[in-house]
Amino acid sequence: MGEKKSDSDRRIGRRALLIGGAAAAVGTGLLARDELARLYWRLPGVRRARVEGAVDFRGARWVAASEANFRWADRPDDYGVDMVVVHVTQGDLGSAVKAFEDPGHKAAAHYIVGKDGRVTQMVRELDVAYHAGNRSYNERSVGIEHEGFVDRPKDFTDAMYAASAQLAAAVCRRYGIPVDREHIIGHVEVPGTDHTDPGEHWDWDRYLRLVAQAHAATAAS
């Protein structure tokens, strides 16, 4: 499940470089008003307008995580996204949702996949969710939780694998992430973490095969 560490500082990223480059090229006083308006949201500390209830994965239901459990951002403009991190909730879906809604939890993932295959999104992919226990990995990744316990292989259902693979494939397509074990990793593989999920019962071969199939099917359509 997600981290308990603070990740509240905002780093000046590519948006600042973009604005600085535009100003240098054109001259601050010469930037047209419509150009400034177009680029304004890219300035550090300014976030793009959100559509309430909008999701990044078709068919997901939206339940908003507490703002204490993620950082507003404008990915991939300020932070490039090149990784998917797989988690297990160590509890049922309802308890995970409640935890991510709780500002005292200080952690949340972008998505939770239930045993029945339903997908809940709690943080927009634009934003940095506190899920990996490592600031750099938070900034560069999308976190996917899975309902269940690491020591109960029966929790990892066919429906869960299928839905999560479709979700991971969509994320990989969106950001050009390779479908391999260097870029789709478990929480246990994040440097500095003390978590063990998704655990020894998570079938990585099966999961990567399903993600690759979903990725290829969409590319061919």
Side-chain angles (χ1 to χ4, degrees):
M1 201 167 175
E3 69 187 73
K4 294 275 188 176
K5 297 182 180 180
S6 173
D7 190 8
S8 58
D9 295 335
R10 173 176 280 276
R11 184 179 69 188
I12 296 178
R14 288 190 293 167
R15 287 181 298 165
L17 296 176
L18 179 82
I19 295 294
V26 182
T28 304
L30 299 178
L31 278 175
R33 182 175 300 176
D34 60 344
E35 181 72 3
L36 286 172
R38 184 176 68 83
L39 295 177
Y40 175 71
W41 69 265
R42 296 176 183 266
L43 287 165
V46 177
R47 71 173 185 260
R48 192 180 340 188
R50 268 62 168 174
V51 176
E52 185 175 357
V55 295
D56 297 302
F57 181 69
R58 182 178 299 178
R61 68 162 180 155
W62 173 257
V63 180
S66 168
E67 293 186 19
N69 298 334
F70 68 93
R71 172 160 31 105
W72 298 106
D74 287 299
R75 302 190 311 169
D77 286 297
D78 47 6
Y79 307 109
V81 178
D82 65 359
M83 190 167 291
V84 174
V85 180
V86 174
H87 303 261
V88 174
T89 60
Q90 291 299 97
D92 61 24
L93 178 63
S95 65
V97 169
K98 287 184 65 175
F100 294 166
E101 291 179 308
D102 177 6
H105 188 63
K106 305 301 182 186
H110 295 90
Y111 296 98
I112 309 172
V113 182
K115 296 176 189 176
D116 60 2
R118 289 186 296 178
V119 177
T120 300
Q121 183 169 6
M122 300 195 68
V123 179
R124 290 292 306 276
E125 291 178 18
L126 287 166
D127 299 319
V128 177
Y130 305 159
H131 66 96
N134 178 305
R135 176 173 174 164
S136 174
Y137 276 67
N138 284 340
E139 290 170 346
R140 66 189 288 197
S141 67
V142 170
I144 304 176
E145 289 275 4
H146 298 82
E147 178 186 16
F149 293 86
V150 296
D151 59 351
R152 291 200 329 208
K154 66 179 182 179
D155 289 346
F156 305 143
T157 64
D158 293 343
M160 174 184 286
Y161 275 116
S164 182
Q166 291 286 339
L167 171 58
V171 172
C172 289
R173 285 194 304 271
R174 194 157 22 254
Y175 303 105
I177 301 172
V179 178
D180 58 37
R181 286 287 284 116
E182 290 184 19
H183 297 86
I184 303 176
I185 68 169
H187 194 178
V188 66
E189 297 168 85
V190 175
T193 187
D194 59 358
H195 289 249
T196 62
D197 53 316
E200 63 180 341
H201 298 298
W202 183 259
D203 191 337
W204 279 109
D205 289 340
R206 177 185 184 185
Y207 187 60
L208 266 292
R209 183 173 65 252
L210 290 171
V211 176
Q213 289 171 354
H215 191 278
T218 300
S221 61

